[in-house]
C-alpha cells in the first residue's frame, strides 16, 4: 500500500447517490496529478434516502449504502492510496435526522420515552414545565393543528410487528406506540382505528406529544440544529453516545483508511473544548495501532467554527484549526478598496430604504429571529434563572420580565457564536464576545442593570453561591441558544437583507467590515503562522453564499463605486417597461449584483436562468421581508420570477444585456486577476488549502443547492493533460484553465518543498512606487529556502483583456526581493532579473518565486 503524504492540500468531494464512492475512486489519478495530498470527504454515515450532503445522519452503525457502503469506501481508499492520496473525513457529532420512519434511535425514544436506551443521548429536557408535555417528547411534525389532523383522518394506527409493533402514521412520519398498550390494541385494534376519541385517548397516553410544526419554537423540549426540527441535537458529553457516534470513524483511522477528521458545527455541542480534547486523546491512543503504510504523524483535526472579529480558536482545544471561513473572509476583504464614506452603503440605503450600516440590520434581525424561532429556548433559560434567583433570595429584586429583557439584551449583542464558559470552575472567563455583549446591554438607555448583574454572576460564577449542576445547566442552554441565533439571524437573515455589496456577505464573514488593509492582512497571516499553521484555508465551500470568483468579481466594484452606481441607475431606468408594480427596489438591486457577479463568461447558456431563479427565491425567503419559508408569499414570488424571466430574455431586454456585458468587460480581466490572486494567497500563506470540487476552474456558483451541482471532471482532466504555455492560457483565460494550471504548479511546489510551506516564517515585503498600495507582497522563509509572493489587487485599469499588466498604469511600482545565494526561480509568472520585481507589460501580475538561502 502506497504511503500518503502528511496533509498539505485537500480536495473536497460531495458524495451522494449520483456521485458514490466509485465516482470518487475514478478521480484518484487526476487528483494525484493535480497535486493535492488528501480527499476531504463529505459525511459517509447512513443518511436520509437521497441525501445530497450527508449531514442528516440516521444511523451510527453503517456507512451509507447509497454511496457504496463500507466495502465501497475501502475500494475508494485503496484507489486513493495507489496515487499517494489520503482521506480526511467530515463527521457530524452534533445532530441526527429525526421525524420520518428511518432513524431507529429516534423511534426507540418515542416508543420507550425516558426508558429508551437512547434517552440520554438526545439533548432532551424531560423536566420541561409545560403541562402539555409532562415528561414526554415534543413531536411537532404535523402539518396542521392536532385536532384538525385527527378529524381529517390523517393520523392512523398501523401494525408493523417485524419493526416497531403498533405505531401512529402521519404522512412520512412514524410514532411507535408504547409497549404497555400492545395487549389492548391486539384485542381492540379495529375499534381504536374507527373511533377518533379512542384514538385520541391512545395518543394522549404515549411518550410523545404530537403537535403542529409551527409550535416548535415555543414548546420544543429538545435541542435541534438551528431551528430545523428534522435535526435533533445529541449529547456527545455522554461517553456511550460519543463512542457510538465515532465508532466507524475511529475504526477507519485505526485501520489507516483516513488520516483526520473535520468536525461539523462544533459550537452546537455542550462542551466543544471537552469534546475536542477527548477526540484528540482517542485518536492519539489509536495512532500506535495504525499499519506501517498509514500516513505518519498525529491525526489532522479541524473544526467548523465561525470566529468573530478578534476571536481566536483556543489552543487547549487540541485541534489544528478551523475549516477556513476566517481565511475566506480575510482573502475577500483584502480585495476590496476602503469605503470610508460608506458610499455603497448609503447608495443601498437610498435604493432600499433599509439601514446603511450592517450593525443596525444585524441587531434588528437578532431580535426578530429570537422572538420568532427561539422564544421557547429563551423562556426556558429565563425560567432557570428565575429559579436560581428564588434560591438565592433575589426574586423580589428581579421580576421575570426584567430577567427576560436582560437575557435578551445580552444574546442579541453577542457577535460571537458562544461563550467559552463550561461551568467546570468558578469564576470563569467567558471570552471577549460575552464581555462586549454585556457592555452593549448595559449601555442601553433602559438597561435592566440589576438583572444583568445577576445573569453575568450566574454565567461567570462570581459572587453567587450556586450548585454547580444548576449553573452548568444555564450555561449549556445559553450557549446552545446564542449559537443557532447567530447563524439564523446573521447568516440566514441579515446577510440577505443588507445589500451594500454582496461579496462581503458570506459564511463566517464580518459583514460590518468592508475592506481589510494590506498591513492588517499581513498581521493576520503572521499570527496564523504562529498559532494555526495547519488550519484549513477555504475559498469556496458547500455552504458558501457565492463562489470565490463571484466575490472576486464583485470586489472590483469597490475600486470605482461611482461608475457602478451610475450603471445601476441606468439599469433601473432601462428596465422600467418590464418592471411589475410592487417589486422592491432593494430586491432588484441585489439581483443586479448577482447577475454581474455570476454572468457567464461567454453569454447566457443552458440552465443559467433556472439557477438565478432558484437563488433569488431562496434569498427572498431567507430575508423574511416580503416572503418566507414558513408562509411563502406566492404572489410576490411570482412577480419576481416574471421580472427575472423578462430580464434574462435577450429579445425583451437586449439593451440591458448590452449594458451589463459592457460593464462586465470593464471589470472582467481585473476580477479574473482577483480570482487568481486569492488562490495564490490560499496556496502560499500559512495553512492547508482546500479546493472545493470543481473550483480549479472559475467558480461562479451561488448558494446551495447551486454550489453542489455536478462537476464536469472530464473537462478538467482533459485540460490538465494539455500543458499549454502561460501566454496561451492567459489569452484564453475565460475557460478557467489558467486557474487550474497555476493551482497545479503551486500544489506541486507544496509537495516538493513541504517544510517551507508548512513551517516557513511569514514576513511582509515592502512595495514601492506609484501603485504600492495595490500589491500584497510577502515571503516565507526557512534556514535553507525562501519563497517570495507578489499579488496585485484592485487594478481594473492596470490589466488588459489577456490578463497582461499595463506598465504605464503601474509606472515605477516595484518590490525589492530579499538576498539569496542564487537566482530566483519562477513558480508562477515570468522570471526576474536583478534583485526586484517590476510590474511590466505582457506579464501575469501574480508572481511566486523560489530561492535558496
Amino acid at each position: 500500500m502506497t504511503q500518503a503524504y502528511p496533509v498539505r492540500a485537500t480536495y473536497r468531494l460531495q458524495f451522494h447517490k449520483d456521485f458514490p464512492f466509485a465516482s470518487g475512486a475514478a478521480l484518484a489519478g487526476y487528483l494525484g496529478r493535480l497535486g493535492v495530498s488528501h480527499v476531504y470527504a463529505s459525511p459517509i454515515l447512513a443518511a436520509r434516502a437521497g441525501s445530497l450532503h450527508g449531514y442528516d445522519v440516521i444511523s451510527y452503525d453503517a456507512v451509507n449504502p447509497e454511496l457504496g457502503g463500507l466495502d465501497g469506501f475501502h475500494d475508494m481508499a485503496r484507489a486513493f492510496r495507489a496515487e499517494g492520496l489520503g482521506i480526511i473525513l467530515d463527521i457530524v457529532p452534533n445532530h441526527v435526522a429525526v421525524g420520518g420512519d428511518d432513524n431507529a434511535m429516534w423511534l426507540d425514544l418515542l416508543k420507550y420515552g425516558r426508558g429508551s436506551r437512547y434517552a440520554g443521548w438526545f439533548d432532551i429536557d424531560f423536566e420541561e414545565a409545560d403541562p402539555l408535555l409532562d415528561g414526554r417528547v415534543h413531536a411537532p411534525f404535523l402539518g396542521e393543528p392536532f385536532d384538525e389532523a385527527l378529524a381529517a383522518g390523517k393520523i392512523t394506527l398501523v401494525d408493523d410487528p417485524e419493526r416497531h409493533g403498533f405505531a401512529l402514521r402521519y404522512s412520512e412520519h412514524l410514532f411507535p406506540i408504547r409497549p404497555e398498550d400492545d395487549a389492548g390494541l391486539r384485542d381492540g385494534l379495529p375499534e381504536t382505528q374507527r373511533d377518533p376519541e379512542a384514538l385520541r385517548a391512545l395518543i394522549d397516553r404515549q411518550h410523545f406529544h404530537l403537535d403542529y410544526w409551527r409550535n416548535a419554537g415555543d414548546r420544543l423540549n429538545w435541542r435541534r440544529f438551528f431551528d430545523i426540527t428534522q435535526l435533533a441535537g445529541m449529547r456527545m458529553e455522554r461517553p456511550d453516545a460519543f463512542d457510538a457516534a465515532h465508532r466507524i470513524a475511529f475504526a477507519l483511522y485505526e485501520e489507516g483508511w483516513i488520516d483526520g477528521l473535520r468536525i461539523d458545527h462544533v459550537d452546537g455541542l455542550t462542551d466543544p473544548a471537552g469534546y475536542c480534547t477527548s477526540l484528540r486523546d482517542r485518536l492519539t491512543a489509536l495512532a500506535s495501532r495504525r499499519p506501517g503504510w498509514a500516513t505518519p504523524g498525529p491525526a489532522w483535526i479541524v473544526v467548523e467554527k465561525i470566529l468573530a472579529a478578534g476571536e481566536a480558536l483556543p489552543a487547549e482545544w487540541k485541534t489544528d484549526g478551523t475549516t477556513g471561513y476566517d481565511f475566506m473572509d480575510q482573502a475577500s476583504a483584502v480585495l476590496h478598496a476602503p469605503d470610508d464614506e460608506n458610499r455603497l452603503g448609503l447608495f443601498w440605503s437610498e435604493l432600499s430604504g433599509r439601514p446603511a450600516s450592517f450593525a443596525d440590520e444585524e441587531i434588528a434581525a437578532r431580535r426578530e429571529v429570537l422572538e420568532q424561532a427561539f422564544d421557547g429556548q429563551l423562556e426556558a433559560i429565563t425560567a432557570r434563572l428565575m429559579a436560581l434567583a428564588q434560591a438565592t433570595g433575589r426574586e423580589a429584586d428581579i421580576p421575570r420580565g426584567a430577567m427576560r429583557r436582560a437575557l435578551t439584551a445580552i444574546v442579541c449583542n453577542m457577535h460571537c457564536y458562544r461563550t467559552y464558559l463550561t461551568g467546570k470552575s468558578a469564576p470563569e472567563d467567558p471570552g471577549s464576545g460575552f464581555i462586549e455583549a454585556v457592555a452593549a446591554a448595559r449601555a442601553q438607555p433602559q438597561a435592566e442593570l440589576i438583572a444583568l448583574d445577576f445573569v453575568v454572576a450566574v454565567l461567570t460564577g462570581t459572587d453567587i453561591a450556586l450548585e454547580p449542576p444548576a449553573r452548568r445547566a444555564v450555561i449549556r442552554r445559553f450557549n446552545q441558544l446564542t449559537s443557532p441565533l447567530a447563524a439564523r439571524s446573521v447568516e440566514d437573515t441579515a446577510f440577505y437583507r443588507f445589500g451594500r455589496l454582496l461579496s462581503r456577505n458570506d459564511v463566517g464573514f464580518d459583514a460590518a467590515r468592508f475592506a481589510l488593509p494590506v498591513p492588517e492582512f499581513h498581521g493576520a497571516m503572521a499570527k496564523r503562522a504562529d498559532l494555526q499553521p495547519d488550519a484549513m484555508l477555504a475559498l469556496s465551500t458547500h455552504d458558501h453564499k457565492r463562489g470565490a470568483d463571484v466575490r472576486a468579481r464583485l470586489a472590483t466594484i469597490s475600486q470605482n463605486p461611482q461608475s457602478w452606481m451610475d450603471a445601476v441607475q441606468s439599469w433601473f431606468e432601462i428596465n422600467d417597461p418590464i418592471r411589475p408594480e410592487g417589486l422592491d427596489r432593494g430586491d432588484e438591486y441585489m439581483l443586479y449584483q448577482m447577475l454581474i457577479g455570476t454572468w457567464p463568461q461567454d453569454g447566457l447558456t443552458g440552465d443559467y436562468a433556472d439557477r438565478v431563479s432558484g437563488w433569488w427565491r431562496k434569498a427572498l425567503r431567507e430575508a423574511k421581508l416580503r416572503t418566507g419559508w414558513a408562509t411563502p408569499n406566492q404572489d410576490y414570488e411570482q412577480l419576481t420570477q416574471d421580472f427575472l424571466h423578462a430580464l434574462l430574455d435577450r429579445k425583451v431586454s437586449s439593451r440591458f444585456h448590452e449594458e451589463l456585458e459592457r460593464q462586465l468587460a470593464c471589470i472582467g480581466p481585473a476580477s479574473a486577476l482577483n480570482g487568481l490572486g486569492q488562490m495564490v494567497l490560499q496556496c502560499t500563506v500559512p495553512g492547508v488549502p482546500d479546493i472545493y470540487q470543481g473550483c480549479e476552474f472559475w467558480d461562479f456558483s451561488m448558494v446551495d443547492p447551486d454550489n453542489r451541482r455536478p462537476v464536469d471532471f472530464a473537462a478538467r482532466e482533459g485540460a490538465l493533460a494539455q500543458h499549454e504555455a502561460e501566454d496561451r492560457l492567459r489569452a484564453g483565460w475565460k475557460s478557467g484553465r489558467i486557474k487550474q494550471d497555476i493551482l497545479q504548479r503551486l500544489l506541486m511546489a507544496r509537495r516538493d518543498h513541504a517544510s517551507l510551506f508548512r513551517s516557513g516564517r511569514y514576513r511582509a515585503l515592502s512595495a514601492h512606487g506609484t501603485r504600492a498600495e495595490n500589491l500584497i507582497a510577502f515571503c516565507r522563509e526557512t534556514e535553507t529556502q525562501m519563497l517570495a509572493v507578489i499579488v496585485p489587487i484592485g487594478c481594473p485599469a492596470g490589466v488588459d483583456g489577456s490578463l497582461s499588466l499595463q506598465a504605464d498604469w503601474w509606472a515605477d511600482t516595484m518590490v525589492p526581493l530579499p538576498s539569496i545565494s542564487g537566482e530566483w526561480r519562477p513558480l508562477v509568472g515570468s522570471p526576474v532579473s536583478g534583485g526586484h520585481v517590476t510590474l511590466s507589460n505582457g506579464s501575469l501580475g501574480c508572481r511566486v518565486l523560489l530561492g535558496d538561502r
Side-chain angles (χ1 to χ4, degrees), residues 820-842:
I820 58 173
S821 61
E823 296 293 324
W824 287 99
R825 304 185 298 277
L827 300 177
V828 175
S830 55
V832 298
S833 58
H836 60 272
V837 172
T838 58
L839 286 299
S840 58
N841 269 335

Side-chain angles (χ1 to χ4, degrees), residues 410-438:
I410 295 174
V411 300
C412 286
N413 282 285
M414 282 275 292
H415 296 296
C416 59
Y417 261 52
R418 60 180 289 156
T419 74
Y420 288 91
L421 299 167
T422 64
K424 294 179 180 178
S425 62
E428 285 184 288
D429 179 5
S432 60
F434 178 80
I435 294 170
E436 292 167 3
V438 172

Side-chain angles (χ1 to χ4, degrees), residues 100-101 107-108 110-111 154-170 172-179 181-182 185-186 189 192-193 199 202-203 206 208 210:
D101 61 0
L107 297 175
D108 191 88
L110 296 180
K111 187 174 184 69
K154 294 184 178 181
I155 304 174
T156 60
L157 186 62
V158 297
D159 185 9
D160 184 2
E162 295 185 1
R163 296 178 63 209
H164 312 291
F166 290 106
L168 299 170
R169 168 69 71 178
Y170 174 86
E172 74 272 22
H173 303 292
L174 196 69
F175 306 95
I177 297 298
R178 61 180 190 158
D181 290 314
D182 279 355
L185 287 174
R186 292 288 172 210
L189 180 60
T192 305
Q193 289 174 320
L199 186 57
L202 174 67
I203 293 171
Q206 301 313 305
F208 50 82
L210 293 183

Side-chain angles (χ1 to χ4, degrees), residues 146-147 150-151 191-205:
F146 172 77
D147 287 339
L150 188 66
E191 179 182 346
T192 305
Q193 289 174 320
R194 289 193 302 267
D195 184 356
E197 290 309 310
L199 186 57
R200 179 192 294 273
L202 174 67
I203 293 171
D204 287 343
R205 296 196 298 269

Side-chain angles (χ1 to χ4, degrees), residues 55 79 89 195 317 361 392 414 511 526 529 568 608 661 679 717:
Y55 292 99
L89 186 61
D195 184 356
W317 283 24
E361 197 71 84
T392 55
M414 282 275 292
V568 168
Y608 180 73
E661 288 168 355
M679 184 188 68
E717 291 190 67

Side-chain angles (χ1 to χ4, degrees), residues 24 52 78 114 189 240 353-354 358 393 423 427 440 469 582 627 696 732:
L52 294 177
R78 289 188 188 95
R114 293 187 194 219
L189 180 60
D240 51 349
R354 301 201 64 79
F358 182 74
T627 185
E696 59 270 42

